[in-house]
Amino acid sequence: MNSKIFKKVVVVFLIAVIVTSLAGCGGKSIDMGESDAIRIGIVLTTQGLGDKNFNDMAYGALQRAEEELSIEFDYSEPRSNGDFEVYFREFAQSGSYDLILALGYESSEALKKVADEFPQQKFTIVDAKVECENVSSIFKNFEEQTFLSGVLAGLTTKDTSLENINSENTVGIVIGADSPLLRSAMTGFTAGVKYINRDAEILTGIVGSWSDPGKAKEISTSMYERGADIILQAAGGSGLGVFNAAETANGYAMGTGANQNHIKPDQIIATATYNLPKIVFDEVKLLTEDKWEAGLHTWGIKQDAVGYSVEDSNVKLSPEIIEKVEEVKQLVVSDELSLPKTLEDIDEWLKNNPVK
Amino acid sequence: MKSNVKILDKLYAAKGISNTIVLFLSLILALIVGGVFFLANGYSPIDAYAAIFIGAFGSFPAFIMTLTQATPLIFSGLAFAVAIRGGMLNVGTEGQLFIGAFAAAIVGAYIKGCPAYIHIPLVLLAAAIAGGLWAALVGFLKVRFGSNEVITTIMLNFVAINLTGYLVNYPLKNPEGMMAQTKPIFDSAKLPRFFSQYQLSAAILLAALTIAVIAFIFYKTPLGYEIEVTGKNKRAAETAGIKIDRVVIITMFISGAIAGLGGAGQVMGINHSFIDGFSPGYGFEGVAVSALVANNPVLTFFSGILFGAIKAGAITVNRIAHIPMDFVFVIQALVVIFVASPKLVGSILNIFKKKGDK
């Protein structure tokens, strides 16, 4: 390149840059946290924003709180599981937050450490049990999350008027890992199916990974071949494999978490939903009303934190089925029906709880 | 990188402009160009830089945070610098850091009952040997089979990260708690902290000590001389009777051992166990740390602190200014690019110089 031209380009570029950066000082100013509003700090998980799940749901809830409750919030996106302690301490040390929010069990140990060091600081952690005097620890009953979907599946598998329902009285569940949490998802689903449909057979599969849709597809395809017509996935990223299998094997599937029905609306009949936005929003609301309390809090069907959704699905279930599921839901809400805690308890529980 | 330094010397020796000025100018340039990125996304660059500065040096806790963040970066920067002095591009410091950290966590948690003055050196030794052997394998593959060390180190990163990930998720997972991590190390294996409420540990002193040892090796021993000569010109080294195969493997071993010590520092000083995926890329950032000071082992201490400051500032800027941390890493990258392009900075300097002459 001609060196004179090059020099001119550089000069012009530099001048432009300096002028614009000075002019830009009047731009979006940075709020250093001196206002009187209630201030929330949230430490997201390492997946960060844009995960279309946990983080986005919590962020959305805080945005809603910002509008409706006029709080302010700041967030941080840690880059590794070793970073949580740094981020919690960073928030706590600044002393300008009324509440620090954490998500997921990955951050629970770091949170406990920092919460012990800052006894005056309020913390809330969702989806983990942390016992500490200044921590509100919210966890869901996974068995309640899958229970109503179980009832729905137990009823639907007998409704042969639907295209993909076969004559077998069989359904299935695929979980991501063999862990206590996921076993409780299995417990809820099994209890739900058996409660309404005592003779139903339930096939179970464990993927052993949260990100292996291929293996999940294999497992669920063999389930469909063995007569299952509805399979619930509780396997995170692997769950997409279940949906794909449903498409190729002409079966139905169910999702877990944020409503997944739109992913394959012709196959996914319902999602065992987890209403994280509501949990986060309500926790913030409690804080603004000065009703926030430390301790262990369990959220379930009663608090509308978990449930089921058939929205966005193209499969039209009969109104009788939905009506029946709603009836069972009311039984749980009114405490007339309490759920079994482990798979081993289910037989005993079924004896004590005949269908009403 | 080395040749760049030579060009610099030629460019400025006559004009009396020192490398320091060029370095300083590179930083300023990076900040200005980074400012354009901030502006383009609607953030005020001045506010953002102010927030970064506050987060890095604005208070005592901030400065401690800077040093804490700097510690692993000094190790990985030094590891990279040592390798490149010997003519090896060790892009595998991340993997060596994982292997070293893992070895430290195992020796720290499973060897019981020895006092700290035995346990700590034992853990450090295990980490250095593990990281060193992991890297020496690359050297061996290079001299024995002629494999390119850039490719093998990158690939071994995946092996190291996923292998430790598997071990810590399954056979060696701490049964208490849901997190994928090893059992906590014994108190006797923990590096002391300067202040109980901050994470800064004696690992930073260990980093300084390691630098001293490396400087001694490079400037006072025949081995250091052999590494330098091999790195500068392999054929000349061979003609001079240096066994370059041996030197290549030893260079990689030393480099990997340093990276392994960096991993051990995180385990023994910060996390007190091996956490799956604990490093957000400390090893990779070592390349930048080293490049900033033209791969001078002693100076990696200061460039490590500078990058630590950028990281500490990034955490604050992310929190209070809602600016994604990625922006700060853009600036970090810009610093390195400008430092690594001395001719560009030189041209800019010349413009001003000529104007001054007129």
Side-chain angles (χ1 to χ4, degrees), chain B residues 166-196:
Chain B
Y166 166 76
L167 290 171
V168 80
N169 267 290
Y170 295 101
L172 294 166
K173 181 179 177 296
N174 183 9
E176 283 168 43
M178 304 188 73
M179 185 130 153
Q181 59 179 354
T182 57
K183 282 202 294 190
I185 58 173
F186 290 107
D187 285 346
S188 54
K190 290 178 185 167
L191 285 173
R193 291 185 175 181
F194 289 98
F195 313 96
S196 62

PDB file of all heavy atoms in Angstrom, chain B residues 166-196:
ATOM      1  N   TYR B 166     -14.661 -36.384  33.222  1.00  0.00           N
ATOM      2  CA  TYR B 166     -15.246 -37.709  33.440  1.00  0.00           C
ATOM      3  C   TYR B 166     -14.922 -38.214  34.848  1.00  0.00           C
ATOM      4  O   TYR B 166     -15.798 -38.652  35.592  1.00  0.00           O
ATOM      5  CB  TYR B 166     -14.719 -38.706  32.400  1.00  0.00           C
ATOM      6  CG  TYR B 166     -15.010 -40.138  32.778  1.00  0.00           C
ATOM      7  CD1 TYR B 166     -16.297 -40.666  32.624  1.00  0.00           C
ATOM      8  CD2 TYR B 166     -14.030 -40.948  33.343  1.00  0.00           C
ATOM      9  CE1 TYR B 166     -16.579 -41.956  33.015  1.00  0.00           C
ATOM     10  CE2 TYR B 166     -14.305 -42.235  33.734  1.00  0.00           C
ATOM     11  CZ  TYR B 166     -15.575 -42.743  33.567  1.00  0.00           C
ATOM     12  OH  TYR B 166     -15.871 -44.013  33.971  1.00  0.00           O
ATOM     13  N   LEU B 167     -13.629 -38.131  35.203  1.00  0.00           N
ATOM     14  CA  LEU B 167     -13.203 -38.677  36.500  1.00  0.00           C
ATOM     15  C   LEU B 167     -13.938 -38.009  37.657  1.00  0.00           C
ATOM     16  O   LEU B 167     -14.306 -38.654  38.635  1.00  0.00           O
ATOM     17  CB  LEU B 167     -11.691 -38.489  36.663  1.00  0.00           C
ATOM     18  CG  LEU B 167     -10.838 -39.365  35.746  1.00  0.00           C
ATOM     19  CD1 LEU B 167      -9.379 -38.963  35.823  1.00  0.00           C
ATOM     20  CD2 LEU B 167     -11.002 -40.839  36.114  1.00  0.00           C
ATOM     21  N   VAL B 168     -14.172 -36.721  37.522  1.00  0.00           N
ATOM     22  CA  VAL B 168     -14.754 -35.991  38.639  1.00  0.00           C
ATOM     23  C   VAL B 168     -16.286 -36.092  38.642  1.00  0.00           C
ATOM     24  O   VAL B 168     -16.944 -35.820  39.632  1.00  0.00           O
ATOM     25  CB  VAL B 168     -14.252 -34.527  38.600  1.00  0.00           C
ATOM     26  CG1 VAL B 168     -15.018 -33.712  37.605  1.00  0.00           C
ATOM     27  CG2 VAL B 168     -14.280 -33.910  39.960  1.00  0.00           C
ATOM     28  N   ASN B 169     -16.853 -36.522  37.517  1.00  0.00           N
ATOM     29  CA  ASN B 169     -18.297 -36.744  37.478  1.00  0.00           C
ATOM     30  C   ASN B 169     -18.661 -38.141  37.940  1.00  0.00           C
ATOM     31  O   ASN B 169     -19.758 -38.372  38.420  1.00  0.00           O
ATOM     32  CB  ASN B 169     -18.836 -36.542  36.067  1.00  0.00           C
ATOM     33  CG  ASN B 169     -19.310 -35.128  35.843  1.00  0.00           C
ATOM     34  OD1 ASN B 169     -20.324 -34.729  36.404  1.00  0.00           O
ATOM     35  ND2 ASN B 169     -18.564 -34.358  35.067  1.00  0.00           N
ATOM     36  N   TYR B 170     -17.739 -39.094  37.747  1.00  0.00           N
ATOM     37  CA  TYR B 170     -18.073 -40.477  38.080  1.00  0.00           C
ATOM     38  C   TYR B 170     -17.187 -41.064  39.178  1.00  0.00           C
ATOM     39  O   TYR B 170     -17.527 -40.951  40.344  1.00  0.00           O
ATOM     40  CB  TYR B 170     -18.129 -41.328  36.815  1.00  0.00           C
ATOM     41  CG  TYR B 170     -19.252 -40.882  35.909  1.00  0.00           C
ATOM     42  CD1 TYR B 170     -19.015 -40.082  34.795  1.00  0.00           C
ATOM     43  CD2 TYR B 170     -20.586 -41.199  36.209  1.00  0.00           C
ATOM     44  CE1 TYR B 170     -20.061 -39.624  34.003  1.00  0.00           C
ATOM     45  CE2 TYR B 170     -21.635 -40.738  35.424  1.00  0.00           C
ATOM     46  CZ  TYR B 170     -21.369 -39.966  34.319  1.00  0.00           C
ATOM     47  OH  TYR B 170     -22.404 -39.523  33.546  1.00  0.00           O
ATOM     48  N   PRO B 171     -16.009 -41.641  38.843  1.00  0.00           N
ATOM     49  CA  PRO B 171     -15.332 -42.415  39.907  1.00  0.00           C
ATOM     50  C   PRO B 171     -14.868 -41.577  41.090  1.00  0.00           C
ATOM     51  O   PRO B 171     -14.870 -42.072  42.214  1.00  0.00           O
ATOM     52  CB  PRO B 171     -14.130 -43.036  39.196  1.00  0.00           C
ATOM     53  CG  PRO B 171     -14.081 -42.502  37.837  1.00  0.00           C
ATOM     54  CD  PRO B 171     -15.284 -41.701  37.572  1.00  0.00           C
ATOM     55  N   LEU B 172     -14.484 -40.333  40.872  1.00  0.00           N
ATOM     56  CA  LEU B 172     -13.881 -39.566  41.967  1.00  0.00           C
ATOM     57  C   LEU B 172     -14.769 -38.428  42.451  1.00  0.00           C
ATOM     58  O   LEU B 172     -14.317 -37.502  43.104  1.00  0.00           O
ATOM     59  CB  LEU B 172     -12.518 -39.019  41.528  1.00  0.00           C
ATOM     60  CG  LEU B 172     -11.478 -40.116  41.288  1.00  0.00           C
ATOM     61  CD1 LEU B 172     -10.277 -39.574  40.543  1.00  0.00           C
ATOM     62  CD2 LEU B 172     -11.042 -40.741  42.603  1.00  0.00           C
ATOM     63  N   LYS B 173     -16.038 -38.506  42.139  1.00  0.00           N
ATOM     64  CA  LYS B 173     -16.949 -37.432  42.532  1.00  0.00           C
ATOM     65  C   LYS B 173     -17.142 -37.433  44.051  1.00  0.00           C
ATOM     66  O   LYS B 173     -17.252 -38.485  44.670  1.00  0.00           O
ATOM     67  CB  LYS B 173     -18.300 -37.637  41.848  1.00  0.00           C
ATOM     68  CG  LYS B 173     -19.311 -36.562  42.169  1.00  0.00           C
ATOM     69  CD  LYS B 173     -20.623 -36.835  41.433  1.00  0.00           C
ATOM     70  CE  LYS B 173     -21.693 -35.804  41.799  1.00  0.00           C
ATOM     71  NZ  LYS B 173     -22.087 -35.820  43.189  1.00  0.00           N
ATOM     72  N   ASN B 174     -17.145 -36.245  44.623  1.00  0.00           N
ATOM     73  CA  ASN B 174     -17.442 -36.122  46.043  1.00  0.00           C
ATOM     74  C   ASN B 174     -18.894 -36.531  46.267  1.00  0.00           C
ATOM     75  O   ASN B 174     -19.806 -35.904  45.737  1.00  0.00           O
ATOM     76  CB  ASN B 174     -17.241 -34.669  46.472  1.00  0.00           C
ATOM     77  CG  ASN B 174     -17.471 -34.478  47.953  1.00  0.00           C
ATOM     78  OD1 ASN B 174     -17.623 -35.443  48.692  1.00  0.00           O
ATOM     79  ND2 ASN B 174     -17.483 -33.228  48.383  1.00  0.00           N
ATOM     80  N   PRO B 175     -19.123 -37.614  47.054  1.00  0.00           N
ATOM     81  CA  PRO B 175     -20.496 -38.077  47.224  1.00  0.00           C
ATOM     82  C   PRO B 175     -21.386 -37.054  47.934  1.00  0.00           C
ATOM     83  O   PRO B 175     -22.608 -37.066  47.761  1.00  0.00           O
ATOM     84  CB  PRO B 175     -20.348 -39.355  48.056  1.00  0.00           C
ATOM     85  CG  PRO B 175     -18.975 -39.319  48.615  1.00  0.00           C
ATOM     86  CD  PRO B 175     -18.144 -38.436  47.745  1.00  0.00           C
ATOM     87  N   GLU B 176     -20.782 -36.154  48.706  1.00  0.00           N
ATOM     88  CA  GLU B 176     -21.584 -35.130  49.372  1.00  0.00           C
ATOM     89  C   GLU B 176     -21.828 -33.980  48.406  1.00  0.00           C
ATOM     90  O   GLU B 176     -20.915 -33.448  47.806  1.00  0.00           O
ATOM     91  CB  GLU B 176     -20.857 -34.598  50.604  1.00  0.00           C
ATOM     92  CG  GLU B 176     -20.921 -35.541  51.787  1.00  0.00           C
ATOM     93  CD  GLU B 176     -19.958 -35.123  52.876  1.00  0.00           C
ATOM     94  OE1 GLU B 176     -19.879 -33.923  53.163  1.00  0.00           O
ATOM     95  OE2 GLU B 176     -19.285 -36.009  53.410  1.00  0.00           O
ATOM     96  N   GLY B 177     -23.071 -33.604  48.299  1.00  0.00           N
ATOM     97  CA  GLY B 177     -23.388 -32.487  47.412  1.00  0.00           C
ATOM     98  C   GLY B 177     -23.596 -32.959  45.989  1.00  0.00           C
ATOM     99  O   GLY B 177     -23.224 -34.068  45.629  1.00  0.00           O
ATOM    100  N   MET B 178     -24.196 -32.080  45.182  1.00  0.00           N
ATOM    101  CA  MET B 178     -24.580 -32.485  43.834  1.00  0.00           C
ATOM    102  C   MET B 178     -23.549 -32.065  42.806  1.00  0.00           C
ATOM    103  O   MET B 178     -23.563 -32.501  41.680  1.00  0.00           O
ATOM    104  CB  MET B 178     -25.922 -31.856  43.480  1.00  0.00           C
ATOM    105  CG  MET B 178     -26.993 -32.201  44.495  1.00  0.00           C
ATOM    106  SD  MET B 178     -28.595 -31.651  43.973  1.00  0.00           S
ATOM    107  CE  MET B 178     -28.927 -32.817  42.675  1.00  0.00           C
ATOM    108  N   MET B 179     -22.641 -31.200  43.217  1.00  0.00           N
ATOM    109  CA  MET B 179     -21.700 -30.640  42.256  1.00  0.00           C
ATOM    110  C   MET B 179     -20.631 -31.652  41.863  1.00  0.00           C
ATOM    111  O   MET B 179     -20.193 -32.447  42.699  1.00  0.00           O
ATOM    112  CB  MET B 179     -21.040 -29.462  42.938  1.00  0.00           C
ATOM    113  CG  MET B 179     -20.142 -28.738  42.046  1.00  0.00           C
ATOM    114  SD  MET B 179     -20.577 -27.049  42.170  1.00  0.00           S
ATOM    115  CE  MET B 179     -19.036 -26.340  41.762  1.00  0.00           C
ATOM    116  N   ALA B 180     -20.231 -31.603  40.591  1.00  0.00           N
ATOM    117  CA  ALA B 180     -19.164 -32.493  40.134  1.00  0.00           C
ATOM    118  C   ALA B 180     -17.824 -31.947  40.591  1.00  0.00           C
ATOM    119  O   ALA B 180     -17.249 -31.065  39.971  1.00  0.00           O
ATOM    120  CB  ALA B 180     -19.196 -32.609  38.614  1.00  0.00           C
ATOM    121  N   GLN B 181     -17.327 -32.434  41.713  1.00  0.00           N
ATOM    122  CA  GLN B 181     -16.019 -32.019  42.205  1.00  0.00           C
ATOM    123  C   GLN B 181     -15.432 -33.140  43.057  1.00  0.00           C
ATOM    124  O   GLN B 181     -16.138 -34.032  43.497  1.00  0.00           O
ATOM    125  CB  GLN B 181     -16.131 -30.734  43.027  1.00  0.00           C
ATOM    126  CG  GLN B 181     -17.047 -30.867  44.230  1.00  0.00           C
ATOM    127  CD  GLN B 181     -17.108 -29.567  45.031  1.00  0.00           C
ATOM    128  OE1 GLN B 181     -16.396 -28.643  44.747  1.00  0.00           O
ATOM    129  NE2 GLN B 181     -17.965 -29.526  46.031  1.00  0.00           N
ATOM    130  N   THR B 182     -14.103 -33.076  43.270  1.00  0.00           N
ATOM    131  CA  THR B 182     -13.470 -34.089  44.099  1.00  0.00           C
ATOM    132  C   THR B 182     -13.718 -33.777  45.570  1.00  0.00           C
ATOM    133  O   THR B 182     -14.214 -32.712  45.913  1.00  0.00           O
ATOM    134  CB  THR B 182     -11.945 -34.107  43.864  1.00  0.00           C
ATOM    135  OG1 THR B 182     -11.451 -32.801  44.137  1.00  0.00           O
ATOM    136  CG2 THR B 182     -11.605 -34.491  42.440  1.00  0.00           C
ATOM    137  N   LYS B 183     -13.336 -34.763  46.423  1.00  0.00           N
ATOM    138  CA  LYS B 183     -13.415 -34.506  47.859  1.00  0.00           C
ATOM    139  C   LYS B 183     -12.547 -33.294  48.194  1.00  0.00           C
ATOM    140  O   LYS B 183     -11.529 -33.072  47.555  1.00  0.00           O
ATOM    141  CB  LYS B 183     -12.881 -35.723  48.626  1.00  0.00           C
ATOM    142  CG  LYS B 183     -13.870 -36.861  48.710  1.00  0.00           C
ATOM    143  CD  LYS B 183     -13.549 -37.778  49.868  1.00  0.00           C
ATOM    144  CE  LYS B 183     -12.229 -38.502  49.693  1.00  0.00           C
ATOM    145  NZ  LYS B 183     -12.023 -39.559  50.686  1.00  0.00           N
ATOM    146  N   PRO B 184     -12.934 -32.512  49.203  1.00  0.00           N
ATOM    147  CA  PRO B 184     -12.087 -31.362  49.548  1.00  0.00           C
ATOM    148  C   PRO B 184     -10.707 -31.816  50.017  1.00  0.00           C
ATOM    149  O   PRO B 184     -10.579 -32.874  50.646  1.00  0.00           O
ATOM    150  CB  PRO B 184     -12.855 -30.675  50.677  1.00  0.00           C
ATOM    151  CG  PRO B 184     -13.860 -31.661  51.153  1.00  0.00           C
ATOM    152  CD  PRO B 184     -14.144 -32.584  50.015  1.00  0.00           C
ATOM    153  N   ILE B 185      -9.691 -31.029  49.712  1.00  0.00           N
ATOM    154  CA  ILE B 185      -8.339 -31.379  50.148  1.00  0.00           C
ATOM    155  C   ILE B 185      -8.222 -31.132  51.655  1.00  0.00           C
ATOM    156  O   ILE B 185      -8.987 -30.363  52.234  1.00  0.00           O
ATOM    157  CB  ILE B 185      -7.262 -30.568  49.388  1.00  0.00           C
ATOM    158  CG1 ILE B 185      -7.479 -29.061  49.585  1.00  0.00           C
ATOM    159  CG2 ILE B 185      -7.268 -30.910  47.917  1.00  0.00           C
ATOM    160  CD1 ILE B 185      -6.367 -28.224  49.005  1.00  0.00           C
ATOM    161  N   PHE B 186      -7.259 -31.813  52.291  1.00  0.00           N
ATOM    162  CA  PHE B 186      -7.069 -31.627  53.732  1.00  0.00           C
ATOM    163  C   PHE B 186      -6.502 -30.237  54.018  1.00  0.00           C
ATOM    164  O   PHE B 186      -5.855 -29.639  53.150  1.00  0.00           O
ATOM    165  CB  PHE B 186      -6.125 -32.697  54.288  1.00  0.00           C
ATOM    166  CG  PHE B 186      -6.752 -34.061  54.296  1.00  0.00           C
ATOM    167  CD1 PHE B 186      -6.348 -35.034  53.390  1.00  0.00           C
ATOM    168  CD2 PHE B 186      -7.763 -34.369  55.208  1.00  0.00           C
ATOM    169  CE1 PHE B 186      -6.935 -36.283  53.392  1.00  0.00           C
ATOM    170  CE2 PHE B 186      -8.348 -35.623  55.204  1.00  0.00           C
ATOM    171  CZ  PHE B 186      -7.933 -36.578  54.300  1.00  0.00           C
ATOM    172  N   ASP B 187      -6.733 -29.766  55.223  1.00  0.00           N
ATOM    173  CA  ASP B 187      -6.229 -28.438  55.597  1.00  0.00           C
ATOM    174  C   ASP B 187      -4.723 -28.343  55.402  1.00  0.00           C
ATOM    175  O   ASP B 187      -4.190 -27.283  55.065  1.00  0.00           O
ATOM    176  CB  ASP B 187      -6.572 -28.136  57.063  1.00  0.00           C
ATOM    177  CG  ASP B 187      -8.043 -27.794  57.220  1.00  0.00           C
ATOM    178  OD1 ASP B 187      -8.689 -27.542  56.173  1.00  0.00           O
ATOM    179  OD2 ASP B 187      -8.551 -27.791  58.349  1.00  0.00           O
ATOM    180  N   SER B 188      -4.046 -29.496  55.612  1.00  0.00           N
ATOM    181  CA  SER B 188      -2.587 -29.485  55.515  1.00  0.00           C
ATOM    182  C   SER B 188      -2.105 -29.245  54.090  1.00  0.00           C
ATOM    183  O   SER B 188      -0.936 -28.960  53.861  1.00  0.00           O
ATOM    184  CB  SER B 188      -2.031 -30.812  56.030  1.00  0.00           C
ATOM    185  OG  SER B 188      -2.642 -31.880  55.343  1.00  0.00           O
ATOM    186  N   ALA B 189      -3.029 -29.361  53.108  1.00  0.00           N
ATOM    187  CA  ALA B 189      -2.622 -29.146  51.716  1.00  0.00           C
ATOM    188  C   ALA B 189      -3.056 -27.777  51.212  1.00  0.00           C
ATOM    189  O   ALA B 189      -2.798 -27.428  50.063  1.00  0.00           O
ATOM    190  CB  ALA B 189      -3.208 -30.234  50.828  1.00  0.00           C
ATOM    191  N   LYS B 190      -3.730 -27.006  52.057  1.00  0.00           N
ATOM    192  CA  LYS B 190      -4.223 -25.699  51.600  1.00  0.00           C
ATOM    193  C   LYS B 190      -3.126 -24.657  51.702  1.00  0.00           C
ATOM    194  O   LYS B 190      -2.406 -24.588  52.694  1.00  0.00           O
ATOM    195  CB  LYS B 190      -5.418 -25.254  52.454  1.00  0.00           C
ATOM    196  CG  LYS B 190      -6.662 -26.089  52.204  1.00  0.00           C
ATOM    197  CD  LYS B 190      -7.815 -25.661  53.095  1.00  0.00           C
ATOM    198  CE  LYS B 190      -8.995 -26.607  52.889  1.00  0.00           C
ATOM    199  NZ  LYS B 190     -10.025 -26.458  53.915  1.00  0.00           N
ATOM    200  N   LEU B 191      -3.020 -23.825  50.677  1.00  0.00           N
ATOM    201  CA  LEU B 191      -2.080 -22.707  50.743  1.00  0.00           C
ATOM    202  C   LEU B 191      -2.687 -21.636  51.639  1.00  0.00           C
ATOM    203  O   LEU B 191      -3.882 -21.341  51.528  1.00  0.00           O
ATOM    204  CB  LEU B 191      -1.834 -22.137  49.343  1.00  0.00           C
ATOM    205  CG  LEU B 191      -0.945 -22.959  48.418  1.00  0.00           C
ATOM    206  CD1 LEU B 191      -0.933 -22.340  47.022  1.00  0.00           C
ATOM    207  CD2 LEU B 191       0.467 -23.060  48.958  1.00  0.00           C
ATOM    208  N   PRO B 192      -1.881 -21.048  52.525  1.00  0.00           N
ATOM    209  CA  PRO B 192      -2.446 -20.037  53.420  1.00  0.00           C
ATOM    210  C   PRO B 192      -2.935 -18.819  52.643  1.00  0.00           C
ATOM    211  O   PRO B 192      -2.390 -18.477  51.587  1.00  0.00           O
ATOM    212  CB  PRO B 192      -1.269 -19.677  54.326  1.00  0.00           C
ATOM    213  CG  PRO B 192      -0.059 -20.164  53.626  1.00  0.00           C
ATOM    214  CD  PRO B 192      -0.478 -21.309  52.767  1.00  0.00           C
ATOM    215  N   ARG B 193      -3.968 -18.175  53.184  1.00  0.00           N
ATOM    216  CA  ARG B 193      -4.474 -16.949  52.569  1.00  0.00           C
ATOM    217  C   ARG B 193      -3.958 -15.742  53.340  1.00  0.00           C
ATOM    218  O   ARG B 193      -3.721 -15.831  54.543  1.00  0.00           O
ATOM    219  CB  ARG B 193      -6.007 -16.944  52.590  1.00  0.00           C
ATOM    220  CG  ARG B 193      -6.598 -17.972  51.651  1.00  0.00           C
ATOM    221  CD  ARG B 193      -8.101 -17.889  51.571  1.00  0.00           C
ATOM    222  NE  ARG B 193      -8.583 -18.831  50.559  1.00  0.00           N
ATOM    223  CZ  ARG B 193      -9.855 -18.972  50.238  1.00  0.00           C
ATOM    224  NH1 ARG B 193     -10.775 -18.261  50.842  1.00  0.00           N
ATOM    225  NH2 ARG B 193     -10.211 -19.832  49.308  1.00  0.00           N
ATOM    226  N   PHE B 194      -3.813 -14.629  52.657  1.00  0.00           N
ATOM    227  CA  PHE B 194      -3.309 -13.423  53.317  1.00  0.00           C
ATOM    228  C   PHE B 194      -4.342 -12.851  54.280  1.00  0.00           C
ATOM    229  O   PHE B 194      -4.022 -12.409  55.374  1.00  0.00           O
ATOM    230  CB  PHE B 194      -2.935 -12.369  52.273  1.00  0.00           C
ATOM    231  CG  PHE B 194      -1.713 -12.728  51.489  1.00  0.00           C
ATOM    232  CD1 PHE B 194      -1.813 -13.313  50.233  1.00  0.00           C
ATOM    233  CD2 PHE B 194      -0.460 -12.507  52.019  1.00  0.00           C
ATOM    234  CE1 PHE B 194      -0.684 -13.646  49.513  1.00  0.00           C
ATOM    235  CE2 PHE B 194       0.679 -12.844  51.312  1.00  0.00           C
ATOM    236  CZ  PHE B 194       0.570 -13.420  50.055  1.00  0.00           C
ATOM    237  N   PHE B 195      -5.596 -12.852  53.832  1.00  0.00           N
ATOM    238  CA  PHE B 195      -6.681 -12.349  54.671  1.00  0.00           C
ATOM    239  C   PHE B 195      -7.790 -13.383  54.613  1.00  0.00           C
ATOM    240  O   PHE B 195      -8.105 -13.885  53.547  1.00  0.00           O
ATOM    241  CB  PHE B 195      -7.221 -11.009  54.141  1.00  0.00           C
ATOM    242  CG  PHE B 195      -6.139 -10.033  53.795  1.00  0.00           C
ATOM    243  CD1 PHE B 195      -5.691  -9.920  52.491  1.00  0.00           C
ATOM    244  CD2 PHE B 195      -5.565  -9.249  54.771  1.00  0.00           C
ATOM    245  CE1 PHE B 195      -4.688  -9.032  52.154  1.00  0.00           C
ATOM    246  CE2 PHE B 195      -4.558  -8.356  54.447  1.00  0.00           C
ATOM    247  CZ  PHE B 195      -4.117  -8.249  53.148  1.00  0.00           C
ATOM    248  N   SER B 196      -8.398 -13.662  55.766  1.00  0.00           N
ATOM    249  CA  SER B 196      -9.351 -14.772  55.795  1.00  0.00           C
ATOM    250  C   SER B 196     -10.525 -14.531  54.858  1.00  0.00           C
ATOM    251  O   SER B 196     -11.098 -15.454  54.314  1.00  0.00           O
ATOM    252  CB  SER B 196      -9.839 -14.989  57.224  1.00  0.00           C
ATOM    253  OG  SER B 196     -10.508 -13.829  57.661  1.00  0.00           O
TER     254      SER B 196
END
